[in-house]
Amino acid sequence: MQDFGPKQERILEAIKTMNNIEEVLVYIEKFQAQWHRLLESVDARVDKILVVVRPQVLADHRALLASLGWPPKLLTPKIDSGEIAGLSYPRVLMQGDKSKGYSQTFLALCSLQHLQRRREDRQHNIIGQRKSCVGLWAIDELVSPIASRMEYHFSKWAEQPEFMFALVYKITKDFIIGVDDVLQPLIDKAMLSSCSAKEAWVSAMVQMLSGFLAKSVFSVLVERYRDKQIRSEVIASWLHLIDHTVSFDKQMRSLLSSETPFFLEESKSFEGLSRGLSVLTIFCDRPEWLKIWAKIELKDAWKKIQPLLKDERAWIIDKECDVMGTESKHFVLSTRGDHKAPLVAESALKIAWEMIERSQTLPSLQPRIRFIRSTAARFFWYFLNGLILRCKNTDFSLENVDASIIKVCGSINAARYIESKMQEWSDDVSFLEMRIAEKDYDIDRNNEVLGNSCFFGEEIKSLEELMTNWLMEIISALLHHFETLSWEYLQNGRYFVQENLHRVPAVTDLAVSFDIVQALDALKSQLHLLKMSLNPKDFLDLWRSVADALDQFVSRSIFTSGIRYSSGGINQFDSDMQALFHVFQPFCYRPDAFFPCIREILKLLQMSKEEAKLLQVALFKDKNGTKCLHSLGISHLTFDQVDNVLSNRKCRS
């Protein structure tokens, strides 16, 4: 120790001199760029000095650490039994000459790293652009001897990774306060700006464990995964290991989040910073391993959802039941009950979200994007195909229409609920960031760039297509049934040409033609079933579309049938149409507003003889015909259609 002090002073003085040289080089780089050969010559000489100085500083630092008894012994019996004992920072590092000696070597190592950073920044033209610093050579020297002792125990826990994670977390947590109290002032003195002793300590411990897992655990699992005979066992081990890895990453970050929130915020955009805080970094550097992980996750997810797809109880629409409870509140703005979605939709979302959450500690955006695209996004495509197959296995015949409606509505509700959740996820900042990065990545590689700014845009588009197509199928089925049941009524016309008609009293005391009663009753029953089974948004679109289609169908039948309406027939037609409007009364205040063509036909049929003649004359002259029609409230019928209706009236006073 007598010679140690002066030696360290000489080393620090040498580092200070090299820093002064660096100051001059920075000035020359900035104002005398043409002197680049001089810069190269000086850099070469400084490199020769560093080749000698750095190994000497490291050797002195390691020798001093060893003389201080670092690292402390692990309690072997307790560790072997799975019990994780607490450790504390050795006080010997903070006492007397040893404390001073350790501080000098630590300061020398930090100063040397500061010099190295300055030289790299100048040489790469990024002076002042380095946002943060995680890795510290001096901290790495503390962790390295700990790692050599821990790896002995790690090798015995290949099948029990939870012990590895628990031991590393415990040691990291027990030492973190001492590291911060003792070493942070020395780091500040060495002018390593934006460097935190705590962050460097946590990062070094994480990378130490990552290195072991990559070399001795994941590499073995990858080799075994290729053997199909034992693949199921490997999948179980892999998922078990990933669960503990994700939990460990969150624990390690929590050691920093309470006191350094700005660090964590910055880490979202600065990948190099967060890479040191996640064991999952090993997948960022190994795309093949990432692909295997994604395959395993997707296979496990599909295995979970398949039994529910086949279980009819999972498709029951029960808006009173919120199966997932508080778990779904993490990503739910509107409930499953609001969408009348079946349990299987909630389960699919939960499974997909779990896969997404497991990727959140992946420190690089591109691997995270690839993982989500290969797992959650592909899982939704599989689920979408399941919904389509379920819809196709339906029969909209009159005998089976009710069961088919319920079945298809369940699929539409599931699609609508999933679409709303995917939109919510895509609006989150992290997904917006991933979508921007994905577009930039495609542009850089001249790939086709999808125009959709939504991360799940393609999946949402396909879900919307499914909903639109099968809503149209339901509408077509309802119209086909109405046409079948009302064909005799609309084509025969016997109710409209006779004065004495057979009538059936309706609930509104209107006289309804017997031949249309069954059609109206079936339509009313089917719409009621749809109101109970379909989510409110799609039901609103559906009943309005049905009303519009019926308006077109009935009016077209009148134009083409050639039936001439007597006075009694006109009254009968009016009563029948009022009954049709009444079917839609539960859904709006003025249902007749959704049947504009029928309403205008009734207005024409109920005109007096004089009014009808005046209108026909005006239409014949075609001078103020449009103005005349509009003055009568007729805007949805053409001149020819109006003339057709007026011509098919028998004399009406």
Side-chain angles (χ1 to χ4, degrees):
M1 293 298 295
Q2 291 178 353
D3 298 332
F4 188 79
K7 181 180 179 181
Q8 290 302 308
E9 290 177 3
R10 289 194 299 272
I11 288 176
L12 288 171
E13 186 64 30
I15 295 172
K16 182 179 179 181
T17 301
M18 285 186 285
N19 267 307
N20 292 336
I21 294 172
E22 186 61 28
E23 290 283 353
V24 176
L25 295 181
V26 168
Y27 178 84
I28 294 174
E29 178 92 14
K30 186 175 182 181
F31 298 105
Q32 303 291 342
Q34 70 274 18
W35 294 358
H36 62 277
R37 291 189 179 277
L38 175 62
L39 291 175
E40 292 173 0
S41 177
V42 175
D43 272 335
R45 294 192 179 192
V46 172
D47 285 337
K48 290 180 181 179
I49 298 171
L50 289 174
V51 168
V52 176
V53 173
R54 182 178 176 183
Q56 185 62 51
V57 172
L58 285 171
D60 291 344
H61 188 73
R62 290 169 182 169
L64 185 58
L65 276 178
S67 70
L68 294 174
W70 184 267
K73 291 183 179 181
L74 301 177
L75 300 179
T76 307
K78 290 188 176 183
I79 293 176
D80 290 342
S81 64
E83 182 180 345
I84 308 303
L87 297 172
S88 61
Y89 198 81
R91 298 293 172 181
V92 70
L93 297 183
M94 296 176 281
Q95 296 174 1
D97 292 339
K98 290 184 177 181
S99 173
K100 184 179 178 181
Y102 178 75
S103 297
Q104 285 180 325
T105 59
F106 189 93
L107 187 60
L109 204 51
C110 288
S111 299
L112 200 60
Q113 184 173 3
H114 172 62
L115 172 63
Q116 184 68 20
R117 284 184 60 193
R118 292 186 65 196
R119 298 183 74 234
E120 289 175 354
D121 290 351
R122 173 177 57 80
Q123 292 167 359
H124 294 92
N125 198 27
I126 57 171
I127 296 176
Q129 298 179 30
R130 193 188 293 261
K131 295 182 179 180
S132 297
C133 164
V134 175
L136 286 172
W137 297 345
I139 297 294
D140 292 341
E141 291 303 313
L142 282 175
V143 172
S144 181
I146 294 178
S148 61
R149 290 194 178 183
M150 294 176 72
E151 284 188 5
Y152 166 76
H153 302 287
F154 289 169
S155 62
K156 297 187 294 184
W157 294 338
E159 301 298 325
Q160 297 172 302
E162 59 270 23
F163 290 163
M164 300 184 206
F165 294 115
L167 179 60
V168 174
Y169 174 71
K170 184 65 176 174
I171 292 177
T172 306
K173 182 180 179 182
D174 288 346
F175 277 73
I176 196 167
I177 295 176
V179 165
D180 191 43
D181 291 344
V182 176
L183 304 183
Q184 188 61 51
L186 298 175
I187 293 171
D188 296 338
K189 188 175 180 180
M191 296 185 295
L192 279 169
S193 59
S194 304
C195 285
S196 163
K198 291 173 66 174
E199 294 161 10
W201 170 250
V202 173
S203 175
M205 293 296 288
V206 169
Q207 291 182 58
M208 176 268 294
L209 179 58
S210 297
F212 177 83
L213 290 175
K215 179 181 66 176
S216 305
V217 180
F218 276 109
S219 59
V220 174
L221 289 176
V222 168
E223 289 300 320
R224 294 177 63 199
Y225 179 79
R226 295 190 175 99
D227 186 348
K228 294 183 178 181
Q229 294 182 347
I230 59 172
R231 183 169 289 182
S232 59
E233 298 176 11
V234 174
I235 289 175
S237 299
W238 189 294
L239 292 172
H240 179 66
L241 181 58
I242 289 293
D243 287 340
H244 284 290
T245 301
V246 171
S247 178
F248 173 77
D249 282 350
K250 292 177 180 178
Q251 283 183 315
M252 297 298 274
R253 291 192 178 195
S254 70
L255 294 176
L256 302 171
S257 61
S258 60
E259 297 185 20
T260 53
F262 296 108
F263 161 78
L264 289 180
E265 285 300 315
E266 193 174 5
S267 70
K268 293 178 182 177
S269 58
F270 190 60
E271 291 187 3
L273 183 62
S274 60
R275 283 177 70 91
L277 296 177
S278 175
V279 174
L280 295 182
T281 299
I282 59 180
F283 291 103
C284 299
D285 303 324
R286 299 168 178 84
E288 285 301 316
W289 291 14
L290 183 70
K291 189 181 293 186
I292 291 173
W293 178 24
K295 287 181 179 179
I296 289 173
E297 289 284 357
L298 181 60
K299 185 174 182 178
D300 183 64
W302 192 241
K303 183 179 178 182
K304 290 176 182 176
I305 200 66
Q306 273 189 314
L308 289 174
L309 290 172
K310 298 175 182 178
D311 187 353
E312 288 300 321
R313 293 173 299 177
W315 291 92
I316 295 174
I317 300 172
D318 180 9
K319 68 177 182 179
E320 300 297 328
C321 179
D322 189 1
V323 178
M324 291 299 160
T326 56
E327 287 185 38
S328 63
K329 292 180 181 178
H330 179 73
F331 56 86
V332 172
L333 297 178
S334 54
T335 65
R336 179 171 69 87
D338 293 337
H339 291 83
K340 298 184 180 179
L343 169 63
V344 69
E346 187 80 77
S347 299
L349 284 167
K350 183 175 182 291
I351 291 169
W353 185 252
E354 287 174 350
M355 289 189 286
I356 292 171
E357 275 196 317
R358 279 196 282 277
S359 71
Q360 292 307 298
T361 56
L362 273 169
S364 297
L365 275 178
Q366 288 303 330
R368 195 185 315 161
I369 292 167
R370 288 198 296 271
F371 179 82
I372 294 175
R373 288 287 182 212
S374 300
T375 55
R378 189 167 294 178
F379 173 78
F380 281 126
W381 284 111
Y382 289 174
F383 188 78
L384 172 64
N385 289 333
L387 294 179
I388 293 173
L389 288 174
R390 182 173 175 82
C391 290
K392 286 183 176 179
N393 292 330
T394 53
D395 176 15
F396 279 105
S397 63
L398 277 171
E399 298 78 15
N400 302 305
V401 65
D402 287 356
S404 296
I405 284 175
I406 293 173
K407 195 171 186 179
V408 173
C409 283
S411 295
I412 293 173
N413 293 346
R416 178 65 66 190
Y417 182 48
I418 290 174
E419 179 255 351
S420 70
K421 297 306 115 185
M422 292 175 81
Q423 188 63 60
E424 285 178 24
W425 296 351
S426 296
D427 291 341
D428 184 78
V429 174
S430 61
F431 282 95
L432 291 173
E433 184 182 21
M434 284 191 285
R435 186 68 189 111
I436 293 170
E438 192 173 35
K439 282 188 172 182
D440 292 343
Y441 183 84
D442 290 337
I443 291 172
D444 291 342
R445 283 152 183 78
N446 296 320
N447 295 334
E448 182 181 354
V449 179
L450 298 176
N452 203 314
S453 60
C454 176
F455 187 84
F456 290 109
E458 291 300 307
E459 292 80 3
I460 290 173
K461 181 181 177 182
S462 296
L463 287 169
E464 288 174 345
E465 288 179 0
L466 177 145
M467 291 182 283
T468 300
N469 292 340
W470 285 97
L471 282 171
M472 292 304 299
E473 287 289 334
I474 294 175
I475 293 169
S476 298
L478 265 60
L479 295 176
H480 176 70
H481 296 158
F482 186 87
E483 180 181 4
T484 301
L485 295 173
S486 63
W487 186 89
E488 184 70 24
Y489 168 79
L490 291 170
Q491 298 301 319
N492 190 306
R494 62 191 179 94
Y495 291 97
F496 308 134
V497 297
Q498 303 175 20
E499 293 294 340
N500 298 317
L501 303 169
H502 179 60
R503 298 175 177 179
V504 177
V507 292
T508 55
D509 294 325
L510 296 173
V512 182
S513 299
F514 184 80
D515 285 352
I516 201 175
V517 169
Q518 188 179 3
L520 293 175
D521 185 60
L523 179 64
K524 182 178 181 180
S525 174
Q526 290 161 0
L527 287 174
H528 176 73
L529 180 61
L530 283 163
K531 187 175 188 297
M532 298 299 295
S533 304
L534 194 59
N535 68 81
K537 180 184 184 303
D538 287 322
F539 178 72
L540 177 65
D541 294 339
L542 181 139
W543 76 256
R544 288 183 175 183
S545 297
V546 170
D548 179 68
L550 288 174
D551 185 50
Q552 297 295 324
F553 169 67
V554 173
S555 59
R556 187 171 61 252
S557 297
I558 291 171
F559 300 142
T560 58
S561 65
I563 298 172
R564 295 179 59 82
Y565 292 83
S566 65
S567 295
I570 291 172
N571 292 333
Q572 180 62 52
F573 181 69
D574 179 54
S575 297
D576 295 341
M577 292 304 99
Q578 294 302 323
L580 174 62
F581 300 160
H582 183 73
V583 171
F584 293 85
Q585 186 69 54
F587 318 133
C588 59
Y589 291 111
R590 292 184 59 248
D592 58 304
F594 296 92
F595 295 85
C597 294
I598 293 176
R599 193 176 68 244
E600 291 176 6
I601 288 172
L602 285 171
K603 187 174 292 187
L604 292 171
L605 290 174
Q606 292 170 345
M607 280 183 175
S608 65
K609 183 178 179 181
E610 291 75 17
E611 289 175 328
K613 283 187 176 181
L614 288 173
L615 180 58
Q616 282 181 311
V617 171
L619 293 176
F620 180 75
K621 292 182 178 180
D622 197 23
K623 292 181 179 179
N624 298 311
T626 302
K627 184 176 180 181
C628 181
L629 287 177
H630 285 176
S631 68
L632 295 172
I634 297 173
S635 58
H636 293 82
L637 301 180
T638 65
F639 289 179
D640 291 340
Q641 290 172 340
V642 170
D643 185 62
N644 180 290
V645 174
L646 294 176
S647 300
N648 286 331
R649 288 169 17 118
K650 291 185 178 181
C651 291
R652 184 179 178 89
S653 58

